[in-house]
Amino acid sequence: MKGGPATVLSFGERLERVFAESGQLCVGIDPHSWLLDDWNLPDTAAGAESFGRTVVAAAAGRVGIVKPQVAFYERFGSAGFVALERVLADARQAGLLVIGDAKRGDVGTSALAYAQAWLSSGSPLEVDALTLAAYMGVGSLDSPLTLAAANGKGVFLLAATSNPEAADIQRAIVADGPYAGSSVARAILDDVADRNARAASARLTTGLGSVGVVLGATLDLSSFGIDLQAAPTEFRTPVLAPGFGHQGGHIMDLTAIYGGYAGGVIVSESRSVLSAGPHRIEEAIERRVAEVGAVRG
């Protein structure tokens, strides 16, 4: 019996399933030197590997999303990348949705090469979604966006980040083009929303898009020109939201912070969970899952 090619589920569709089954909490995997020390692990690639694989084991069956911070593995060179590959393999085997927090950004074939490393099926560094920097123009990322869509992967573009040094650039006003007059952060958000709408129209679907943005939970987003009540209702933009927990964002304020975008927010927490240590991290994850679930109802 002949059949047509299997339809690749989009990242947005897979993310919605995770939200429905496991909630919106994402556990970061950030092997800081001080955390490795607190966990009685060496500040080496081997220590970072043990740390990451322990976090994955604790997350499996409790949350649906993990987010390794690539920099904390990259600092160990090639040994660090081998360690990261093993952490990612564990996460894939556990059925977790993996967001690679690499914040890559480039142009042309270099941008494509980064995408091939992280978003290609079968790559040792394969993840489900990747953070990207769009400050050379969202159009400079067309090749990663195309590859991601073809492989059922997602991307998250930095739009309004929590670090104070970014505000001058992210609040700057775009001079030309279709988003002229908007802040840089708002222009990125609107460009992403337009891309999600076109992709959904082509697939005849609604719901979460596969291209998301990073919006920090500690920010007054209105000061970036972002109207929280103007979120698209049919082709929603997923939001990766760092800043909850240790950085000061309160989960009870989720809707107040994100307004109409709240239903698509990935609540990312790292140190507030990881600092519980290897023997209590499961308890810390379960507690935060319950707290996020109570807010979202």
Side-chain angles (χ1 to χ4, degrees):
M1 180 176 178
K2 294 182 179 180
T7 301
V8 177
L9 283 178
S10 71
F11 173 75
E13 290 168 323
R14 293 192 290 138
L15 182 59
E16 284 196 297
R17 287 188 179 184
V18 167
F19 280 177
E21 294 171 1
S22 304
Q24 293 175 232
L25 183 68
C26 167
V27 175
I29 303 176
D30 300 8
H32 296 266
S33 295
W34 65 269
L35 270 173
L36 292 176
D37 184 60
D38 284 353
W39 282 42
N40 293 315
L41 292 169
D43 190 16
T44 63
E49 177 184 335
S50 178
F51 180 97
R53 298 179 83 170
T54 299
V55 175
V56 167
R62 294 179 173 84
V63 297
I65 312 168
V66 292
K67 182 177 71 65
Q69 171 49 261
V70 172
F72 291 116
Y73 288 90
E74 190 169 328
R75 66 195 180 104
F76 297 117
S78 59
F81 275 106
V82 170
L84 178 58
E85 288 171 7
R86 292 170 178 162
V87 173
L88 296 177
D90 280 4
R92 285 193 296 271
Q93 186 173 6
L96 293 164
L97 206 65
V98 183
I99 300 172
D101 196 355
K103 300 181 178 69
R104 299 298 193 235
D106 215 315
V107 297
T109 54
S110 298
L112 177 59
Y114 280 130
Q116 289 168 333
W118 296 97
L119 301 173
S120 294
S121 298
S123 168
L125 291 170
E126 180 183 359
V127 294
D128 296 289
L130 184 69
T131 57
L132 297 173
Y135 299 118
M136 285 182 280
V138 177
S140 70
L141 301 174
D142 280 347
S143 56
L145 290 167
T146 299
L147 182 66
N151 291 339
K153 305 293 189 180
V155 299
F156 288 89
L157 306 189
L158 307 184
T161 57
S162 297
N163 61 307
E165 302 87 351
D168 287 348
I169 292 175
Q170 293 169 352
R171 291 174 179 165
I173 301 302
V174 176
D176 300 303
Y179 308 107
S182 297
S183 70
V184 169
R186 178 56 188 265
I188 291 172
L189 177 60
D190 286 348
D191 193 326
V192 165
D194 289 343
R195 289 169 184 268
N196 283 331
R198 291 195 298 270
S201 179
R203 293 175 65 95
L204 301 177
T205 61
T206 59
L208 280 177
S210 295
V211 185
V213 293
V214 178
L215 300 175
T218 57
L219 300 174
D220 173 9
L221 294 174
S222 65
S223 71
F224 290 79
I226 295 173
D227 182 355
L228 297 174
Q229 305 310 317
T233 56
E234 284 190 297
F235 316 117
R236 292 179 293 137
T237 295
V239 174
L240 179 59
F244 286 103
H246 179 85
Q247 295 183 46
H250 299 290
I251 192 60
M252 295 301 296
D253 298 328
L254 177 64
T255 301
I257 296 169
Y258 292 105
Y261 294 91
V265 167
I266 299 170
V267 178
S268 179
E269 296 201 21
S270 299
R271 281 172 284 183
S272 58
V273 173
L274 303 175
S275 60
H279 303 300
R280 299 188 64 186
I281 186 172
E282 294 178 357
E283 175 188 338
I285 291 172
E286 290 173 353
R287 181 174 64 252
R288 295 304 286 166
V289 166
E291 290 169 356
V292 174
V295 170
R296 293 304 302 153

